[in-house]
Amino acid sequence: MSRIEELFGSMVFNDVVMQERLPEDTYAALKRTMEVGKKLNPAVADVVARAMKDWAIEKGCTHFTHWFQPMTGITAEKHEGFIHPMDDGTVIMKFSGKELVKGEPDASSFPNGGLRATFEARGYTAWDPSSYAFIKDNTLCIPTVFYSYNGEALDKKTPLLRSMELMNKQTLRILKLFGNEEVTHVTTSVGPEQEYFLIDRDLYRQREDLILTGRTLFGAKPPKGQEMENHYYGAIKPRVYAFMQELDDELWKLGVLAKTEHNEAAPAQHELAPIYTNSNTATDHNQLTMEMMKKVAERHDLALLLHEKPFAGVNGSGKHNNWSISTNTGVNLLEPGESPAENAQFLLFLVAVIKAVDEYQDLLRISVASAGNDNRLGGNEAPPAIISMFLGDDLTEILHSIEAETEAAHADQSEMKVGVHILPRFIRDTTDRNRTSPFAFTGNKFEFRSLGAPQSISAPNVILNTIVAEELSQFADILEAAEDFQTALHQLIVDTVKAHKRIIFNGNGYAQEWVEEAEKRGLLNLPTTVDALPYFINEKNIQLFTKHKIYTSEEIHSRYEIYLDTYTRTVEIEALTMIDMVSKKILPACIQYSDLIGHSLAQKKNLGLSCDAEEGLLSRISNHMSTLYQKNEALITAHHRCPKEDPLEAATYYRDTILPLMAALRQTADALEMLIGEEYWPLPSYTRMLYSL
Ligand code: ADP
Ligand code: MG
């Protein structure tokens, strides 16, 4: 075995380990649970727990934790020791089935959007046997869902699992209509491409804004930005390369299929892409990847930035969510087939996605909405805030001809009417990507490109799965009731293309003309999180979620409040950080530097020397300092006046009043950075941060 083969999955209680360590009947029972989501019986759980514990202890573990994904967006852990005291003063290492299956963390400090009254702070975690347990930091981690006393989801995993089950159910209905009885299970697959920045840790430590908010709130534009565009796919620097190698090792141990690493468009920016896997595992793995990246970076004296826009004027970081539908027989249902019949099925899935994206633009937009991502979407570096879909010219052409029914007229009557012969060749050639599109068909998968780098991929996938499943369920209803399947299928595809083609846009998504054109087409343009979030609680969306039991109405409202609150708190922390930095660092530095100039000025005046430079500089700096002081005071006052009662009102205030004051404050501070001597300026410059590795 090669080193990598040995390393891969060595910290995962995966199928191989289970087969090795579990009695045959226990293994079979556990497998059934994993495949059909059945409840694990307590006797089986005890056996599994013991095997897990022994395996973990052999690997050096002393603790276990239920590993879950609360609404904070980061994973939570509460470590507990295996150690158990005996009456005779000795200890044994113990881990029961009960401890494996269910936990009861004190959940009062996790956001719940009013789902739990504070006196009922209990939350429960339950093992999700469809993801493998693993070892991290000498701790056995059990992936779990997290819910309240009343069973409401308090996390990001529960709705994802619900949405995957929904896709399974509705897709199987469609496959059956096409005569496919072989497939018994369908899952959605995801491969998330992860962007990030790496900077020197020493510089990071000197920036309160990076430490507290993840982005630079000040910083004059560097003389060399990314205009030269020579970083993309460029040679990887040795320090970065060492980091990437160690990161790969760590991820491989955890069974994460990290595959490619390369430089991105901006200086100091990089990307990691894993091989795709089912949405549940992909989501867990992406959370682990983000956590591991930061840890490994620290070991290399680097700071890894995941913020959507760490540096103004430099491309931000996103995440591309590559999504497809796979069967347990190994078929990707978004892969155009070889035969007309396969193509008819492919086209049905395609138009289901088209209809879904058109009807639920709002939900897709909401699924990527955050204060951080507002700095990036629509900024000519990432997709616009308008959701549209790229299909490429060839596929679009085929849809047009189907819509115009020209193809049908030529088709051999004995063949399926919508079975376009030439489809496979056409589409496979369409590798030319339009990077400006938020949602692109890329040959055999859809790439949702609007995600921000730090966000959990759970919400976008919950939405994708749910909206596509909804359309498939509508299609299945129609087709199951149809007298003549072929005719009904043909009509359904034609009608769907006609009704929803407005969402297809292959042009430049960064152009101003697109904003105007999109408006004419009636597409939503929701530039900020605050614009987008109220759509979450629309009747249409509540109906969708409750119909399919993805979220209850209470869960939707709680999430709505959590999202608004997160937005407000994010901007508030940024504002307070700016105030702090101006008051304690920037103004004092300006005073110190002015003092220096003042001394020089006095001396030269005494000697009768020319002091134009000192006079000019001092006067410009003084003017800016007064402005900076006033703007800082204005921000302080505005912060005191924030409305506190209604969460939407508060968020709106932060967007409309606080953010513009922050931008104004920054502008003056950045102007001062250009005037103050480098040794006197208290913050590392953009140039040093972006080019020092
Ligand atoms: P890019 O040009 O965008 O880098 P790649 O083909 O390298 O495209 O794929 C990027 C990501 O898409 C990878 O994480 C990969 O695993 C994932 N991916 C590829 N095929 C599929 C698929 N059928 N379903 C989901 N994700 C996929
Ligand atoms: Mg991509």
Side-chain angles (χ1 to χ4, degrees):
M1 256 214 275
S2 74
R3 188 185 74 92
I4 294 173
E5 281 169 308
E6 218 160 282
L7 203 64
F8 191 82
S10 58
M11 291 299 177
V12 184
F13 195 76
N14 58 22
D15 209 58
V16 177
V17 183
M18 285 181 201
Q19 274 190 54
E20 240 170 55
R21 294 186 172 245
L22 295 175
E24 223 166 282
D25 54 333
T26 308
Y27 173 75
L30 182 58
K31 274 304 255 197
R32 262 198 309 283
T33 309
M34 290 166 74
E35 267 152 28
V36 295
K38 262 179 56 181
K39 244 193 145 122
L40 203 60
N41 95 40
V44 175
D46 270 331
V47 180
V48 176
R50 208 171 314 128
M52 263 189 198
K53 177 206 68 184
D54 291 343
W55 170 80
I57 288 174
E58 279 167 36
K59 301 238 172 221
C61 286
T62 50
H63 287 69
F64 71 93
T65 180
H66 278 199
W67 184 81
F68 58 104
Q69 300 170 23
M71 295 302 297
T72 51
I74 49 171
T75 45
E77 311 172 353
K78 181 195 170 199
H79 295 207
E80 287 180 62
F82 288 127
I83 196 165
H84 189 87
M86 301 298 282
D87 287 341
D88 63 2
T90 59
V91 294
I92 55 164
M93 297 301 250
K94 211 175 135 193
F95 182 49
S96 68
K98 233 164 85 191
E99 288 171 305
L100 165 64
V101 170
K102 195 168 175 185
E104 195 179 324
D106 171 19
S108 51
S109 49
F110 292 110
N112 65 75
L115 275 183
R116 274 180 290 109
T118 39
F119 59 83
E120 181 43 281
R122 255 183 299 174
Y124 298 91
T125 51
W127 184 29
D128 157 29
S130 63
S131 356
Y132 297 132
F134 58 91
I135 295 173
K136 184 169 68 71
D137 299 334
N138 294 330
T139 301
L140 172 68
C141 300
I142 324 281
T144 57
V145 294
F146 179 44
Y147 55 94
S148 74
Y149 181 72
N150 294 321
E152 290 122 341
L154 295 175
D155 69 346
K156 293 178 180 252
K157 199 189 231 319
T158 309
L160 180 64
L161 292 171
R162 291 175 185 161
S163 76
M164 288 172 72
E165 186 40 42
L166 177 66
M167 264 302 282
N168 173 46
K169 191 168 133 197
Q170 301 303 337
T171 308
L172 285 178
R173 284 176 73 192
I174 298 286
L175 293 182
K176 207 167 183 174
L177 283 161
F178 280 89
N180 188 333
E181 305 277 350
E182 219 179 298
V183 176
T184 55
H185 193 81
V186 171
T187 183
T188 48
S189 301
V190 175
E193 298 163 73
Q194 177 74 51
E195 290 182 335
Y196 59 92
F197 279 86
L198 272 179
I199 66 168
D200 191 275
R201 197 159 188 86
D202 257 356
L203 302 177
Y204 171 83
R205 279 200 208 95
Q206 296 170 50
R207 301 230 26 157
E208 196 180 332
D209 46 4
L210 281 179
I211 293 170
L212 295 180
T213 73
R215 72 172 174 124
T216 55
L217 299 167
F218 300 101
K221 201 174 176 302
K224 180 184 170 195
Q226 99 197 34
E227 303 83 9
M228 312 286 281
E229 307 222 317
N230 52 4
H231 186 256
Y232 192 55
Y233 276 72
I236 298 172
K237 303 255 169 50
R239 249 180 105 182
V240 175
Y241 188 68
F243 155 81
M244 284 177 173
Q245 276 190 316
E246 190 174 330
L247 177 60
D248 276 346
D249 276 3
E250 291 295 340
L251 292 176
W252 289 337
K253 283 188 209 163
L254 291 169
V256 178
L257 290 155
K259 194 168 159 65
T260 53
E261 313 240 17
H262 63 75
N263 288 355
E264 261 302 323
Q269 193 184 33
H270 310 278
E271 182 189 288
L272 180 147
I275 296 173
Y276 67 96
T277 175
N278 76 73
S279 311
N280 183 27
T281 307
T283 305
D284 285 356
H285 282 182
N286 185 247
Q287 293 297 118
L288 279 175
T289 300
M290 292 192 287
E291 183 187 327
M292 214 37 93
M293 280 177 155
K294 289 189 174 171
K295 266 194 200 148
V296 175
E298 262 181 66
R299 290 185 211 149
H300 289 254
D301 272 324
L302 298 167
L304 188 129
L305 311 179
L306 281 178
H307 195 279
E308 295 90 341
K309 190 78 177 170
F311 305 100
V314 176
N315 275 5
S317 296
K319 188 135 66 186
H320 289 177
N321 190 84
N322 294 275
W323 179 89
S324 66
I325 314 168
S326 334
T327 69
N328 62 326
T329 54
V331 176
N332 173 1
L333 295 170
L334 298 179
E335 182 94 51
E338 302 290 342
S339 69
E342 284 169 335
N343 285 338
Q345 185 182 296
F346 164 75
L347 284 173
L348 190 66
F349 282 107
L350 178 69
V351 297
V353 179
I354 293 173
K355 182 166 186 271
V357 175
D358 187 29
E359 285 180 343
Y360 297 101
Q361 298 159 45
D362 49 356
L363 289 181
L364 286 169
R365 173 68 186 89
I366 287 164
S367 77
V368 298
S370 69
N373 222 10
D374 283 358
N375 296 308
R376 185 177 153 264
L377 296 181
N380 280 359
E381 50 163 301
I386 305 163
I387 299 289
S388 68
M389 212 165 151
F390 170 86
L391 292 183
D393 290 339
D394 294 332
L395 193 50
T396 307
E397 197 49 51
I398 288 167
L399 290 183
H400 279 158
S401 75
I402 290 172
E403 186 196 349
E405 309 202 30
T406 50
E407 209 58 52
H410 294 296
D412 182 335
Q413 288 306 309
S414 67
E415 285 184 343
M416 287 202 178
K417 286 178 180 168
V418 288
V420 189
H421 274 299
I422 41 178
L423 204 49
R425 216 174 346 111
F426 259 143
I427 293 165
R428 287 194 187 135
D429 290 346
T430 312
T431 43
D432 177 32
R433 314 277 181 80
N434 179 340
R435 295 272 159 188
T436 69
S437 177
F439 199 94
F441 182 68
T442 51
N444 61 2
K445 62 186 193 286
F446 286 96
E447 193 170 335
F448 186 20
R449 301 208 182 102
S450 310
L451 287 73
Q455 86 169 93
S456 158
I457 62 170
S458 170
N461 286 294
V462 170
I463 299 298
L464 255 172
N465 294 344
T466 306
I467 64 180
V468 174
E470 161 62 18
E471 308 304 354
L472 293 177
S473 85
Q474 287 183 22
F475 287 2
D477 288 346
I478 293 169
L479 294 173
E480 282 164 359
E483 277 177 22
D484 174 8
F485 176 68
Q486 296 302 333
T487 312
L489 173 66
H490 178 69
Q491 200 54 49
L492 185 57
I493 293 176
V494 171
D495 290 349
T496 309
V497 174
K498 276 201 176 114
H500 299 286
K501 63 183 175 190
R502 66 170 185 169
I503 199 74
I504 301 167
F505 175 63
N506 296 326
N508 177 8
Y510 296 169
Q512 180 54 31
E513 294 90 77
W514 170 231
V515 178
E516 289 151 27
E517 165 68 17
E519 194 180 344
K520 272 192 225 142
R521 294 190 191 185
L523 300 182
L524 284 173
N525 184 0
L526 305 169
T528 70
T529 300
V530 183
D531 296 310
L533 284 179
Y535 285 82
F536 198 38
I537 51 171
N538 270 357
E539 198 44 41
K540 169 195 86 161
N541 294 332
I542 292 180
Q543 285 242 340
L544 169 79
F545 291 127
T546 52
K547 172 181 167 192
H548 296 295
K549 302 197 164 46
I550 301 298
Y551 296 123
T552 62
S553 179
E554 290 74 30
E555 285 170 348
I556 297 168
H557 281 92
S558 83
R559 267 151 221 261
Y560 170 65
E561 284 204 10
I562 290 170
Y563 293 150
L564 278 173
D565 202 47
T566 304
Y567 175 89
T568 300
R569 276 195 301 174
T570 305
V571 184
E572 181 179 28
I573 291 168
E574 289 179 349
L576 292 175
T577 304
M578 287 186 95
I579 292 168
D580 202 57
M581 288 170 79
V582 166
S583 313
K584 301 202 179 130
K585 283 225 159 106
I586 297 177
L587 272 174
C590 294
I591 292 169
Q592 209 182 9
Y593 193 60
S594 306
D595 196 45
L596 182 81
I597 303 172
H599 271 98
S600 170
L601 181 65
Q603 253 175 6
K604 285 188 179 174
K605 266 221 169 103
N606 258 343
L607 298 168
L609 297 170
S610 146
C611 37
D612 289 355
E614 283 85 350
E615 262 173 9
L617 254 181
L618 196 55
S619 125
R620 285 173 68 195
I621 290 173
S622 298
N623 288 340
H624 282 312
M625 281 171 67
S626 304
T627 312
L628 189 73
Y629 178 76
Q630 282 154 12
K631 286 178 173 177
N632 202 36
E633 289 299 308
L635 185 56
I636 292 168
T637 309
H639 173 250
H640 285 313
R641 294 201 181 125
C642 294
K644 297 241 156 48
E645 292 302 311
D646 178 55
L648 180 60
E649 199 190 329
T652 308
Y653 180 85
Y654 271 91
R655 180 194 61 185
D656 295 341
T657 306
I658 299 292
L659 278 175
L661 290 171
M662 285 164 56
L665 184 62
R666 175 180 184 146
Q667 195 188 30
T668 305
D670 291 357
L672 276 162
E673 184 182 348
M674 304 294 287
L675 298 173
I676 305 287
E678 189 176 275
E679 281 165 46
Y680 295 83
W681 192 251
L683 309 168
S685 68
Y686 267 35
T687 300
R688 282 182 71 203
M689 285 187 285
L690 291 168
Y691 294 101
S692 68
L693 281 191

